Amino acid sequence: MARAAVPGRLGDRLRWRIAEVAGRRVESATAVTLTLEIPDWPGHLAGQHVDVRLTAEDGYSTQRSYSIASASNGRSLDLTVQRTSGGEVSPYLVDELVPGDQLELRGPVGGWFVWRQQQTEPVLLVAGGSGLVPLMCMIRTREAAGSRTPFRLLYAVRSPSDLLYGSELRQGAPGLDTTYLYSREALKDSARPPGRITPEDLARGGWPPDFEPTCYVCGPTAFVEKTAAYLVLLGHAPERVRTERFG
Amino acid sequence: MTSVEPGGSEVNDTDAGYVDGNALAGPLSEVFAVDVTTATSRCANCGCTGPLARLRVYKHAPGLVARCQQCGSVMLRATRTRDAVWLDMSGAVSLAIPVGET
Ligand SMILES: Cc1cc2nc3c(=O)[nH]c(=O)nc-3n(C[C@H](O)[C@H](O)[C@H](O)COP(=O)(O)OP(=O)(O)OC[C@H]3O[C@@H](n4cnc5c(N)ncnc54)[C@H](O)[C@@H]3O)c2cc1C
Ligand SMILES: [Zn+2]
């Protein structure tokens, strides 16, 4: 039933709500996780996002989308924001916000780039940089649900110091395989030289197309574009490749 | 999902200034009571069908422009004014919105 498909959308149009920053955690030199408290948060699906709106004193307002990082069973809401230097919104969210501050937010929204516990096919997650955020939500949701669906994560990131959720990923989970693809600077003992994602990376760290996995690809637009094209070249059906371009 | 499909893209590949139709979910939630990004639309130009979530969305102040993932033609425009949302869907011949069984 469509009503049940998206928690929080019980046939109502969405309105902007006020969220209060309850916590702030540094993830890397350029990213923080903000824990938000929102009265009557209806819950969300893994992969959904919210729109955040900032309004200046002169009335000028602007909005951006941010994926939800926390597991879908939780009552609180975590967003992980990566600073885009020179950006209008992200430097403010990363550097200026402190607990107690308020934000305007609309969501959760999006019914396509989502993973549901009822899905039993294997899952391939391919993240570029902060594109890990909604995929981490899927990983956390899978674990919170005690799901045994096999997940593989390919995480493309500049260098080990840019990793998001590093210790949580290192700790791992049964049935989750993680491969790191460093683009600029790899660990000393790593077999793969630093470089951009290749079809070989996807063939080695992903699933054979015969297994009919659902592939979720998220990150900067150019990264998603290339990765999705490779997956289709490798034989994955275009409709099994779901994408979320961050811009 | 754009240039991966046969037929390729007419929009310049170096133009990365777009996101997926998923990003329409918030703005359209002001208008529709259900998520319409999973709705199937048919392009008036090339006839291809797919969920709105797979269109390419460009920000064009004061609104959004969504283009067909196959042929690049404009399928939907959404513009927010102070008290209304203007939806121009002349580039789509149909929109099938899942609402569950009756
Ligand atoms: C559905 C969706 C979910 C998203 N989820 C997240 C998330 O979980 N975490 C997160 O950090 N971001 C996420 N983003 C990206 C986010 O919405 C903003 O685009 C980003 O924070 C930059 O905003 P800004 O105002 O700082 O930069 P802007 O002022 O908008 O842009 C400044 C300059 O940076 C360029 N730019 C914009 N975005 C990027 C980018 N992502 N990478 C590199 N250059 C860029 C622009 O072309 C421009 O030249 C998501 C985007 C979408 C569409
Ligand atoms: Zn078309």
Side-chain angles (χ1 to χ4, degrees), chain A residues 15-226:
Chain A
R15 56 195 169 78
W16 291 93
R17 311 160 173 257
I18 302 289
E20 183 169 314
V21 179
R24 178 180 182 277
R25 188 168 64 248
V26 173
E27 299 285 357
S28 75
T30 56
V32 303
T33 292
L34 299 168
T35 298
L36 304 178
E37 235 157 57
I38 306 155
D40 307 319
W41 180 248
H44 56 273
L45 298 170
Q48 285 191 302
H49 65 274
V50 298
D51 294 336
V52 169
R53 178 164 76 180
L54 301 180
T55 304
E57 272 165 28
D58 65 5
Y60 167 77
S61 95
T62 189
Q63 60 192 59
R64 297 288 184 279
S65 301
Y66 291 97
S67 304
I68 301 170
S70 40
S72 69
N73 64 338
R75 288 288 93 190
S76 74
L77 181 71
D78 284 2
L79 306 181
T80 301
V81 182
Q82 178 107 42
R83 187 193 307 116
T84 297
S85 56
E88 198 177 13
V89 172
S90 62
Y92 172 78
L93 299 178
V94 172
D95 301 324
E96 309 283 335
L97 278 182
V98 293
D101 286 348
Q102 295 190 328
L103 279 179
E104 266 188 306
L105 175 153
R106 177 176 63 197
V109 290
W112 174 254
F113 193 80
V114 299
W115 178 76
R116 294 176 167 86
Q117 275 163 246
Q118 302 89 295
Q119 291 175 231
T120 52
E121 77 282 5
V123 169
L124 174 62
L125 307 173
V126 190
S130 57
L132 180 62
V133 178
L135 308 181
M136 197 65 193
C137 182
M138 296 178 190
I139 290 171
R140 289 170 168 167
T141 299
R142 169 188 180 275
E143 206 180 351
S147 159
R148 292 175 176 267
T149 300
F151 269 36
R152 287 186 177 167
L153 167 67
L154 291 179
Y155 180 16
V157 63
R158 223 168 349 181
S159 74
S161 65
D162 291 300
L163 287 174
L164 299 177
Y165 321 123
S167 57
E168 189 177 344
L169 283 176
R170 253 191 315 279
Q171 198 182 333
L176 166 68
D177 290 331
T178 302
T179 306
Y180 301 94
L181 306 169
Y182 297 108
S183 60
R184 299 259 177 89
E185 182 195 316
L187 293 170
K188 278 206 190 67
D189 54 354
S190 108
R192 181 187 181 276
R196 292 176 185 262
I197 194 166
T198 64
E200 293 69 49
D201 291 325
L202 293 163
R204 200 173 305 129
W207 300 101
D210 298 354
F211 287 28
E212 302 193 324
T214 298
C215 308
Y216 297 88
V217 184
C218 184
T221 297
F223 172 87
V224 172
E225 192 83 1
K226 206 161 55 156

Side-chain angles (χ1 to χ4, degrees), chain A residues 9 106 221 225 229 244-245, chain B residues 2 4 18 20 22 30 32:
Chain A
R9 297 296 306 281
R106 177 176 63 197
T221 297
E225 192 83 1
E244 183 81 282
R245 291 169 173 85
Chain B
T2 53
V4 304
Y18 67 97
D20 289 277
N22 302 328
E30 291 196 45
F32 296 100

